[in-house]
Protein backbone atom coordinates (compact mmCIF):
# COMPACT_ATOMS: atom_id res chain seq x y z
CA UNK A 1 0.00 0.00 0.00
CA UNK A 2 1.29 3.46 -0.96
CA UNK A 3 0.28 6.43 1.22
CA UNK A 4 0.77 10.12 0.57
CA UNK A 5 0.44 13.50 2.23
CA UNK A 6 -1.27 16.08 0.11
CA UNK A 7 -2.94 19.44 -0.10
CA UNK A 8 -6.39 19.76 -1.65
CA UNK A 9 -8.61 22.82 -2.04
CA UNK A 10 -10.40 21.75 1.17
CA UNK A 11 -7.56 20.42 3.31
CA UNK A 12 -4.02 21.71 3.81
CA UNK A 13 -2.64 18.44 5.10
CA UNK A 14 -4.72 15.52 3.87
CA UNK A 15 -3.74 11.86 3.75
CA UNK A 16 -4.42 9.60 0.79
CA UNK A 17 -3.94 6.10 -0.54
CA UNK A 18 -2.49 5.94 -4.05
CA UNK A 19 -4.71 4.01 -6.43
CA UNK A 20 -3.21 4.02 -9.95
CA UNK A 21 -3.22 7.62 -11.20
CA UNK A 22 -5.60 8.76 -8.42
CA UNK A 23 -5.63 9.16 -4.68
CA UNK A 24 -8.36 7.95 -2.32
CA UNK A 25 -8.68 10.35 0.57
CA UNK A 26 -8.90 9.34 4.22
CA UNK A 27 -11.41 10.90 6.60
CA UNK A 28 -9.43 11.48 9.78
CA UNK A 29 -12.62 12.21 11.72
CA UNK A 30 -13.97 8.69 11.30
CA UNK A 31 -11.76 6.66 13.57
CA UNK A 32 -9.38 6.92 16.51
CA UNK A 33 -7.32 10.10 16.85
CA UNK A 34 -5.39 10.43 13.60
CA UNK A 35 -3.98 13.87 12.90
CA UNK A 36 -1.10 13.18 10.59
CA UNK A 37 0.41 10.60 8.28
CA UNK A 38 2.86 9.73 11.07
CA UNK A 39 -0.02 8.75 13.34
CA UNK A 40 -0.92 6.10 10.76
CA UNK A 41 2.66 5.01 10.12
CA UNK A 42 3.40 4.62 13.83
CA UNK A 43 0.22 2.62 14.54
CA UNK A 44 0.49 -1.11 15.33
CA UNK A 45 -1.61 -1.95 12.24
CA UNK A 46 -1.50 0.84 9.63
CA UNK A 47 -3.37 -1.15 6.95
CA UNK A 48 -6.36 -1.81 9.21
CA UNK A 49 -6.35 1.82 10.33
CA UNK A 50 -6.25 3.11 6.73
CA UNK A 51 -9.11 0.82 5.74
CA UNK A 52 -11.21 2.14 8.62
CA UNK A 53 -10.63 5.74 7.50
CA UNK A 54 -11.18 5.39 3.74
CA UNK A 55 -13.78 7.77 2.32
CA UNK A 56 -15.87 5.31 0.36
CA UNK A 57 -18.43 7.93 -0.68
CA UNK A 58 -15.94 10.29 -2.33
CA UNK A 59 -14.60 9.66 -5.85
CA UNK A 60 -10.80 9.25 -6.08
CA UNK A 61 -8.94 12.50 -6.87
CA UNK A 62 -6.64 12.48 -9.92
CA UNK A 63 -2.97 12.90 -8.91
CA UNK A 64 -2.75 15.78 -11.39
CA UNK A 65 -5.29 17.80 -9.35
CA UNK A 66 -3.47 17.79 -6.02
CA UNK A 67 -0.24 19.08 -4.50
CA UNK A 68 1.81 16.23 -3.08
CA UNK A 69 3.71 17.06 0.11
CA UNK A 70 6.83 15.45 1.54
CA UNK A 71 5.60 12.56 3.73
CA UNK A 72 7.28 13.92 6.85
CA UNK A 73 5.29 15.12 9.87
CA UNK A 74 7.64 16.03 12.68
CA UNK A 75 10.34 13.39 12.10
CA UNK A 76 13.99 14.47 12.19
CA UNK A 77 15.78 13.46 9.01
CA UNK A 78 19.08 11.60 9.43
CA UNK A 79 21.32 10.05 6.80
CA UNK A 80 23.81 7.20 6.59
CA UNK A 81 26.96 7.52 4.48
CA UNK A 82 29.37 5.23 2.68
CA UNK A 83 26.99 2.29 2.68
CA UNK A 84 27.76 1.30 -0.93
CA UNK A 85 31.20 0.40 -2.36
CA UNK A 86 30.71 3.05 -5.06
CA UNK A 87 30.29 5.77 -2.45
CA UNK A 88 33.38 4.62 -0.52
CA UNK A 89 35.55 4.79 -3.66
CA UNK A 90 34.22 8.22 -4.68
CA UNK A 91 34.74 9.78 -1.23
CA UNK A 92 38.29 8.41 -1.04
CA UNK A 93 39.04 9.98 -4.44
CA UNK A 94 37.48 13.35 -3.61
CA UNK A 95 39.15 13.80 -0.21
CA UNK A 96 42.91 13.62 0.09
CA UNK A 97 42.88 14.27 3.83
CA UNK A 98 39.79 12.18 4.61
CA UNK A 99 40.41 9.10 2.44
CA UNK A 100 41.27 6.77 5.29
CA UNK A 101 38.18 7.83 7.27
CA UNK A 102 35.90 6.82 4.40
CA UNK A 103 37.83 3.60 3.87
CA UNK A 104 37.51 2.58 7.52
CA UNK A 105 33.88 3.57 8.01
CA UNK A 106 32.78 1.33 5.12
CA UNK A 107 33.85 -1.79 7.01
CA UNK A 108 33.58 -0.60 10.62
CA UNK A 109 30.85 -1.91 12.88
CA UNK A 110 29.59 1.63 13.64
CA UNK A 111 28.14 3.31 10.52
CA UNK A 112 28.48 6.95 9.50
CA UNK A 113 25.26 8.72 10.54
CA UNK A 114 24.70 12.44 10.23
CA UNK A 115 21.85 14.87 10.79
CA UNK A 116 20.35 15.99 7.48
CA UNK A 117 17.20 18.08 7.97
CA UNK A 118 14.55 19.40 10.26
CA UNK A 119 11.17 18.08 9.09
CA UNK A 120 9.81 21.50 8.13
CA UNK A 121 12.80 22.14 5.87
CA UNK A 122 12.30 19.05 3.69
CA UNK A 123 11.60 19.95 0.06
CA UNK A 124 8.30 18.69 -1.33
CA UNK A 125 8.04 16.73 -4.59
CA UNK A 126 8.27 18.97 -7.70
CA UNK A 127 9.62 21.90 -5.67
CA UNK A 128 13.17 23.19 -6.15
CA UNK A 129 16.23 21.66 -4.57
CA UNK A 130 19.34 23.85 -4.54
CA UNK A 131 23.01 23.71 -5.30
CA UNK A 132 25.01 25.87 -2.84
CA UNK A 133 26.21 29.08 -4.46
CA UNK A 134 29.68 28.60 -2.90
CA UNK A 135 30.07 25.09 -4.36
CA UNK A 136 31.37 24.26 -7.82
CA UNK A 137 30.65 20.54 -7.51
CA UNK A 138 27.16 19.68 -6.30
CA UNK A 139 25.37 16.40 -6.88
CA UNK A 140 22.09 14.66 -6.15
CA UNK A 141 22.37 11.56 -3.96
CA UNK A 142 19.48 9.17 -4.66
CA UNK A 143 18.72 7.18 -1.53
CA UNK A 144 16.10 4.85 -0.12
CA UNK A 145 14.45 6.60 2.85
CA UNK A 146 13.34 4.52 5.84
CA UNK A 147 10.39 5.80 7.89
CA UNK A 148 11.12 4.84 11.48
CA UNK A 149 8.63 4.84 14.37
CA UNK A 150 9.48 6.14 17.87
CA UNK A 151 9.96 2.52 19.00
CA UNK A 152 12.46 2.02 16.14
CA UNK A 153 10.35 -0.12 13.81
CA UNK A 154 10.85 0.41 10.07
CA UNK A 155 7.28 1.28 9.12
CA UNK A 156 7.66 2.58 5.57
CA UNK A 157 9.90 3.32 2.61
CA UNK A 158 10.17 6.44 0.49
CA UNK A 159 12.55 8.12 -1.96
CA UNK A 160 15.11 10.66 -0.76
CA UNK A 161 17.65 13.03 -2.26
CA UNK A 162 20.66 13.90 -0.06
CA UNK A 163 21.80 16.83 -2.22
CA UNK A 164 25.48 17.42 -1.43
CA UNK A 165 28.40 19.73 -2.20
CA UNK A 166 31.24 17.32 -2.96
CA UNK A 167 33.96 19.97 -3.18
CA UNK A 168 33.16 21.30 0.29
CA UNK A 169 32.99 17.77 1.73
CA UNK A 170 36.25 16.84 -0.05
CA UNK A 171 38.18 19.89 1.16
CA UNK A 172 37.98 18.83 4.80
CA UNK A 173 35.84 16.14 6.48
CA UNK A 174 34.98 18.68 9.19
CA UNK A 175 33.02 20.63 6.58
CA UNK A 176 30.57 17.73 6.16
CA UNK A 177 27.65 19.53 7.87
CA UNK A 178 28.03 22.48 5.49
CA UNK A 179 28.28 20.17 2.48
CA UNK A 180 25.12 18.37 3.51
CA UNK A 181 22.88 20.74 5.48
CA UNK A 182 21.79 23.96 3.82
CA UNK A 183 18.53 25.40 2.46
CA UNK A 184 16.72 23.06 0.06
CA UNK A 185 19.31 20.27 0.30
CA UNK A 186 16.92 17.47 1.25
CA UNK A 187 13.92 16.24 -0.75
CA UNK A 188 11.72 13.27 0.19
CA UNK A 189 8.61 11.71 -1.33
CA UNK A 190 6.18 11.57 -2.86
CA UNK A 191 4.83 8.31 -1.38
CA UNK A 192 5.41 6.01 1.56
CA UNK A 193 5.23 2.30 0.85
CA UNK A 194 4.12 0.56 4.01
CA UNK A 195 6.73 -1.86 5.32
CA UNK A 196 4.28 -4.73 5.78
CA UNK A 197 6.58 -7.15 3.93
CA UNK A 198 10.38 -7.37 3.54
CA UNK A 199 11.66 -5.65 0.39
CA UNK A 200 13.07 -8.00 -2.29
CA UNK A 201 16.40 -6.11 -2.34
CA UNK A 202 17.83 -8.00 -5.32
CA UNK A 203 14.90 -6.90 -7.49
CA UNK A 204 14.67 -3.25 -6.48
CA UNK A 205 16.57 -0.70 -8.57
CA UNK A 206 17.26 2.92 -7.73
CA UNK A 207 17.57 5.02 -10.87
CA UNK A 208 18.81 8.59 -11.26
CA UNK A 209 18.11 10.74 -14.31
CA UNK A 210 19.20 14.37 -14.56
CA UNK A 211 17.92 16.35 -17.53
CA UNK A 212 19.31 19.64 -18.78
CA UNK A 213 17.32 21.49 -21.45
CA UNK A 214 15.35 18.30 -22.02
CA UNK A 215 18.45 16.15 -22.62
CA UNK A 216 19.67 13.45 -20.21
CA UNK A 217 23.04 14.44 -18.76
CA UNK A 218 23.15 11.71 -16.09
CA UNK A 219 21.47 8.33 -16.21
CA UNK A 220 22.57 5.60 -13.84
CA UNK A 221 21.15 2.95 -11.57
CA UNK A 222 21.99 0.57 -8.75
CA UNK A 223 20.24 -2.12 -6.73
CA UNK A 224 19.33 -2.09 -3.06
CA UNK A 225 21.17 -5.41 -2.73
CA UNK A 226 24.45 -3.53 -3.39
CA UNK A 227 24.14 -1.90 0.04
CA UNK A 228 26.77 -3.15 2.48
CA UNK A 229 24.67 -2.68 5.63
CA UNK A 230 21.24 -3.87 6.72
CA UNK A 231 18.42 -1.41 7.33
CA UNK A 232 17.83 -2.77 10.83
CA UNK A 233 21.48 -2.29 11.73
CA UNK A 234 21.39 1.37 10.60
CA UNK A 235 18.20 2.05 12.56
CA UNK A 236 19.55 0.34 15.69
CA UNK A 237 22.65 2.56 15.61
CA UNK A 238 20.55 5.69 15.09
CA UNK A 239 18.33 4.96 18.08
CA UNK A 240 21.08 3.52 20.29
CA UNK A 241 21.54 6.47 22.63
CA UNK A 242 19.08 8.89 21.07
CA UNK A 243 15.32 8.95 21.70
CA UNK A 244 13.17 9.71 18.68
CA UNK A 245 9.77 10.74 20.15
CA UNK A 246 8.49 11.80 16.70
CA UNK A 247 10.16 8.91 14.87
CA UNK A 248 12.73 9.61 12.14
CA UNK A 249 13.41 9.41 8.47
CA UNK A 250 16.73 7.75 7.72
CA UNK A 251 18.32 8.15 4.28
CA UNK A 252 20.35 5.00 3.67
CA UNK A 253 23.23 6.30 1.52
CA UNK A 254 23.90 6.60 -2.17
CA UNK A 255 25.10 3.91 -4.55
CA UNK A 256 25.04 6.25 -7.56
CA UNK A 257 27.79 8.80 -8.11
CA UNK A 258 27.50 11.06 -11.19
CA UNK A 259 30.67 11.46 -13.32
CA UNK A 260 33.30 13.74 -11.74
CA UNK A 261 32.82 16.49 -14.35
CA UNK A 262 29.11 16.79 -13.51
CA UNK A 263 27.69 19.45 -11.26
CA UNK A 264 24.05 20.46 -10.76
CA UNK A 265 23.06 23.60 -12.63
CA UNK A 266 20.20 26.03 -12.46
CA UNK A 267 17.27 24.62 -14.47
CA UNK A 268 18.29 20.93 -14.24
CA UNK A 269 15.52 18.43 -13.46
CA UNK A 270 16.38 15.52 -11.14
CA UNK A 271 14.31 12.35 -11.17
CA UNK A 272 14.97 9.52 -8.70
CA UNK A 273 12.93 6.35 -9.14
CA UNK A 274 12.84 3.39 -6.76
CA UNK A 275 10.93 0.47 -8.24
CA UNK A 276 7.61 -0.06 -6.44
CA UNK A 277 8.13 2.92 -4.12
CA UNK A 278 7.89 6.01 -6.30
CA UNK A 279 9.49 8.74 -8.38
CA UNK A 280 10.81 11.90 -6.76
CA UNK A 281 11.15 14.79 -9.22
CA UNK A 282 12.63 18.18 -8.36
CA UNK A 283 13.93 21.10 -10.44
CA UNK A 284 17.27 22.62 -9.43
CA UNK A 285 18.09 26.20 -8.62
CA UNK A 286 21.55 27.62 -8.23
CA UNK A 287 21.86 31.25 -7.29
CA UNK A 288 25.22 32.86 -7.83
O1 LIG B 1 30.63 11.05 4.27
C1 LIG B 1 30.10 11.42 3.33
C2 LIG B 1 28.68 11.31 3.02
C3 LIG B 1 28.33 10.04 2.39
C4 LIG B 1 26.94 9.98 1.89
O2 LIG B 1 26.12 10.88 2.06
C5 LIG B 1 26.51 8.78 1.15
O3 LIG B 1 27.30 7.83 1.00
O4 LIG B 1 25.37 8.77 0.70
MG1 LIG C 1 24.22 10.54 0.96
Amino acid sequence: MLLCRLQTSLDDDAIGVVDGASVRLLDRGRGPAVETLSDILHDENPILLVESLLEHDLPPVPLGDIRLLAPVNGQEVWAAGVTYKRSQTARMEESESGASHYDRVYTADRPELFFKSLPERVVHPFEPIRARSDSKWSVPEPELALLVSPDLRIVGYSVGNDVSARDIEGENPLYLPQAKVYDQSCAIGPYVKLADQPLPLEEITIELIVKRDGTEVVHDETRLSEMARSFTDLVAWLGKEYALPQGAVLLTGTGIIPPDDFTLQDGDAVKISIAGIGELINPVIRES
Side-chain angles (χ1 to χ4, degrees), residues 34-188:
V34 170
E35 298 270 326
T36 63
L37 177 57
S38 316
D39 292 335
I40 295 178
L41 295 175
H42 300 167
D43 192 77
E44 281 303 314
N45 195 333
I47 295 185
L48 215 62
L49 183 54
V50 166
E51 277 161 5
S52 73
L53 298 175
L54 266 175
E55 281 264 27
H56 290 286
D57 312 337
L58 284 181
V61 189
L63 275 167
D65 292 356
I66 56 175
R67 176 178 176 228
L68 288 163
L69 302 174
V72 185
N73 292 107
Q75 299 100 319
E76 299 172 24
V77 182
W78 285 76
V82 197
T83 50
Y84 289 78
K85 187 76 190 159
R86 186 68 198 84
S87 179
Q88 179 213 27
T89 311
R91 311 291 159 186
M92 288 175 69
E93 286 165 3
E94 93 196 349
S95 173
E96 213 176 290
S97 56
S100 73
H101 300 295
Y102 294 117
D103 192 21
R104 278 182 285 139
V105 83
Y106 182 68
T107 48
D109 200 26
R110 183 190 294 273
E112 177 195 9
L113 294 174
F114 57 91
F115 178 77
K116 179 66 186 176
S117 181
L118 288 171
E120 59 271 23
R121 287 175 173 263
V122 173
V123 175
H124 301 295
F126 305 108
E127 295 188 1
I129 49 173
R130 208 165 62 86
R132 279 187 75 119
S133 61
D134 56 357
S135 161
K136 293 191 171 60
W137 189 18
S138 288
V139 293
E141 292 195 355
E143 307 191 5
L144 176 75
L146 306 176
L147 282 286
V148 179
S149 63
D151 57 356
L152 301 185
R153 287 174 295 132
I154 297 170
V155 292
Y157 304 102
S158 191
V159 183
N161 191 345
D162 170 24
V163 188
S164 305
R166 287 193 65 192
D167 47 354
I168 296 176
E169 178 185 326
E171 193 179 332
N172 186 325
L174 296 179
Y175 294 155
L176 189 78
Q178 294 173 72
K180 295 287 189 180
V181 184
Y182 57 90
D183 291 346
Q184 294 160 272
S185 67
C186 177
I188 298 174

